[in-house]
Amino acid sequence: MSIRPLFIASLGNPGPAYTNTLHSSGHVVLIRLRDWLMLPPFTKSRPHASGLLSSSPDFTLWQSPSLMNLSGKSVATAWRTFIGSLSSPEDKKAARLVVVHDELELPIGKIKVMDGTASARGHNGMKSVKATLPSGMNFTRIGIGIGRPVSRDSMDVAKYVLRKMTEKELAVMRDVAGQVSEVVREMARGVR
């Protein structure tokens, strides 16, 4: 059985100020996913928009180096580089982009696998990605639940998503990587 090449990109904000914030839960999950998939450490890759990269023949993990709301250009550049690195036309055709991001509309620790064309519903990072990728490009999104504050006021939401996770929330997010690992393994085998 052939394996579908997957490029798994996480969205989040760069730098220590945003490390382990709810908004950067995609990065937290991707770091733990690397352990689940037994991939090498992340290294900075200039050709992949200077994002952090960890790869094997079956999976390539990549952390966006851009601010969440401006991540589309980096994702598109890294995706093009990934496709260009594949040797066979079959692999280029079968390859799949998977974007891992925070999801306000899900409780903490839940995941939702969606078609990339699904509505971004106010997620500016996903709006940027969708606006920058080729029109009609088929990709997959994995939303990582971070819960939602009671208030819908934009300032309250911003404060909520930019706060550091508690130790308990961080442990939950790291455990979510096990669920994501199952999903991406199924995708690689063509089951999803």
Side-chain angles (χ1 to χ4, degrees), residues 11 71 99 101 116 120 123-131 139 141:
L11 303 185
S71 54
V99 179
H101 61 89
H123 193 293
N124 292 327
M126 283 311 307
K127 286 179 182 178
S128 175
V129 169
K130 290 173 69 167
F139 69 101
R141 294 168 46 189

Side-chain angles (χ1 to χ4, degrees), residues 29 49 61 70 136 148:
V29 169
L61 307 183
L70 305 173
R148 173 180 266 294

Side-chain angles (χ1 to χ4, degrees), residues 102-146:
D102 64 311
E103 182 59 59
L104 270 172
E105 302 303 328
L106 291 175
I108 288 182
K110 299 293 182 190
I111 69 168
K112 183 175 182 179
V113 180
M114 303 165 259
D115 185 273
T117 60
S119 171
R121 290 191 323 244
H123 193 293
N124 292 327
M126 283 311 307
K127 286 179 182 178
S128 175
V129 169
K130 290 173 69 167
T132 311
L133 291 174
S135 180
M137 180 178 156
N138 196 9
F139 69 101
T140 299
R141 294 168 46 189
I142 301 178
I144 308 298
I146 62 169

Side-chain angles (χ1 to χ4, degrees), residues 11-13 17-29 68 101-104 106-109 123 144-149 156-166 169-170 173:
L11 303 185
N13 286 319
Y18 298 110
T19 300
N20 297 333
T21 60
L22 289 168
H23 211 25
S24 293
S25 63
H27 288 341
V28 173
V29 169
M68 172 73 80
H101 61 89
D102 64 311
E103 182 59 59
L104 270 172
L106 291 175
I108 288 182
H123 193 293
I144 308 298
I146 62 169
R148 173 180 266 294
D156 291 338
V157 172
K159 186 176 176 182
Y160 176 79
V161 300
L162 294 176
R163 76 165 172 79
K164 297 279 188 179
M165 293 183 217
T166 65
E169 290 167 337
L170 202 51
M173 289 297 166

Side-chain angles (χ1 to χ4, degrees), residues 24-163:
S24 293
S25 63
H27 288 341
V28 173
V29 169
L30 199 75
I31 290 166
R32 185 71 177 103
L33 181 61
R34 184 190 63 78
D35 295 335
W36 277 94
L37 298 175
M38 297 182 283
L39 297 177
F42 284 98
T43 57
K44 187 174 182 175
S45 173
R46 283 194 173 279
H48 293 88
S50 294
L52 296 178
L53 190 74
S54 176
S55 63
S56 72
D58 300 333
F59 300 100
T60 298
L61 307 183
W62 176 81
Q63 283 188 10
S64 172
S66 304
L67 289 170
M68 172 73 80
N69 296 352
L70 305 173
S71 54
K73 185 176 178 183
S74 295
V75 171
T77 297
W79 171 249
R80 281 192 306 273
T81 300
F82 172 73
I83 289 296
S85 73
L86 298 174
S87 55
S88 77
E90 295 81 19
D91 280 350
K92 290 176 191 280
K93 185 176 179 181
R96 183 78 169 192
L97 171 64
V98 180
V99 179
V100 181
H101 61 89
D102 64 311
E103 182 59 59
L104 270 172
E105 302 303 328
L106 291 175
I108 288 182
K110 299 293 182 190
I111 69 168
K112 183 175 182 179
V113 180
M114 303 165 259
D115 185 273
T117 60
S119 171
R121 290 191 323 244
H123 193 293
N124 292 327
M126 283 311 307
K127 286 179 182 178
S128 175
V129 169
K130 290 173 69 167
T132 311
L133 291 174
S135 180
M137 180 178 156
N138 196 9
F139 69 101
T140 299
R141 294 168 46 189
I142 301 178
I144 308 298
I146 62 169
R148 173 180 266 294
V150 175
S151 171
R152 297 270 175 173
D153 177 75
S154 62
M155 294 299 289
D156 291 338
V157 172
K159 186 176 176 182
Y160 176 79
V161 300
L162 294 176
R163 76 165 172 79

